[in-house]
Amino acid sequence: MSALEPAVEPAAVLEALQDTLSDPVVRDLAWLLGSRPLLRGHPPAGELAAVFETAHEMAATVDWLLALERDPSDLRQALAVPRIVRLGRYAECLLGYFLEHGPACRLVAANVALRLAGRTIGECDFLMETASGHRLHWELAVKCYLHAGGERAELADYVGPNLQDRFDLKLAHLLGHQLPLSAREEFAALGHAGPWQPQMFVKGWLFYRWGETPPVAPALDPAHHRGFWVTRGDWPAFCARRPAARWVVLPRLAWLAPRPAVADEAVDAAGLSTVGALGERLAQHTGPTMVAAFEREPAGLGRWRETERGFLVPDEWPDEARAYALGDA
């Protein structure tokens, strides 16, 4: 069986499992493995990564994640060694831990730098071998892009919240530079003989302006994870839709999986705030800020669950985003 054609679709199974996990880091790992990719495949250079070759591997991973939930100390210790501040680095450490300790692909090497004339020209994220002998080169990217608004549906319309990244440019770099690295003659001299099958592992969230439903860009997986974005000026009207919701600011390393449910007695400790109280915190943020809404489950369960997430952006951000999307950055 080809590693490009897994026997089962992991998204539904791992999404159901994720809902039972209370440890945020284990939830993030389950989400990373099972969430829908942001992109469709772009063969031959941009095949999509397939985490599992067989249903047995996926079932074993479910059991492994449940065991990790019972005792996540080893995973947390592995994450504590590097000083992680970037979301991409956090996801890289999670995926690396799975490939090294999990019951699927065997990790051969990670972060393999390719140098030419003393200069680093690129780095391969992961080299692995599957149980059936496929040798894979994965390039990982975890992204949160905001659709810049309007009816156009191009990858260039998906921009980073700080307007320093654009989805079309990221994909071009993946296809044109990162994925071909393992096929270069210089790479064989590093001791990792190929051939390696390059695949892209691109996960994350895409956010759309409140009130707009643009068509989905053809390059995107239509089932990608979605959120909203709203300007500060529209924020009061947006929040009026859900007057009973509690809100929380999400730090960057909480941008992967939906946060665990919060018991009634832990609402304050978890930082869940009313809209009014949240406003005091938002006043300290000048740029785009990710927030999440929590709503109380039906009586008797006594928990608050994340129901949506998105970005609150400055009022001038939409015009700046459109200019960046249409520019030649």
Side-chain angles (χ1 to χ4, degrees), residues 65-88:
L65 287 167
L66 289 172
L68 202 59
E69 164 80 3
R70 291 190 291 272
D71 182 10
S73 56
D74 189 60
L75 171 60
R76 288 187 169 276
Q77 184 176 357
L79 293 174
V81 174
R83 183 175 179 271
I84 301 175
V85 295
R86 296 185 298 107
L87 184 66

Side-chain angles (χ1 to χ4, degrees), residues 92-123:
E92 182 181 287
C93 289
L94 287 173
L95 185 56
Y97 184 88
F98 170 74
L99 293 174
E100 188 171 0
H101 301 283
C105 296
R106 180 183 68 86
L107 180 66
V108 175
N111 301 318
V112 181
L114 182 61
R115 295 180 174 87
L116 189 62
R119 181 174 61 91
T120 300
I121 60 174
E123 187 175 90

Side-chain angles (χ1 to χ4, degrees), residues 46-71:
E47 298 282 358
L48 292 181
V51 178
F52 310 112
E53 281 194 311
T54 65
H56 174 75
E57 284 187 355
M58 190 179 68
T61 297
V62 169
D63 292 339
W64 180 79
L65 287 167
L66 289 172
L68 202 59
E69 164 80 3
R70 291 190 291 272
D71 182 10

Side-chain angles (χ1 to χ4, degrees), residues 230-254:
V230 61
T231 63
R232 288 181 177 266
D234 289 336
W235 176 245
F238 177 82
C239 290
R241 301 154 45 250
R242 295 185 170 179
R246 298 290 186 96
W247 295 86
V248 65
V249 173
L250 294 178
R252 188 172 296 272
L253 297 189

Side-chain angles (χ1 to χ4, degrees), residues 31-39 49 51 140-144 201-205 256:
W31 181 93
L32 189 64
L33 298 176
S35 60
R36 295 291 304 181
L38 289 183
L39 293 166
V51 178
L140 169 67
V142 174
K143 292 295 182 180
C144 290
F201 195 109
V202 183
K203 301 293 184 78
W205 295 73
L256 297 185

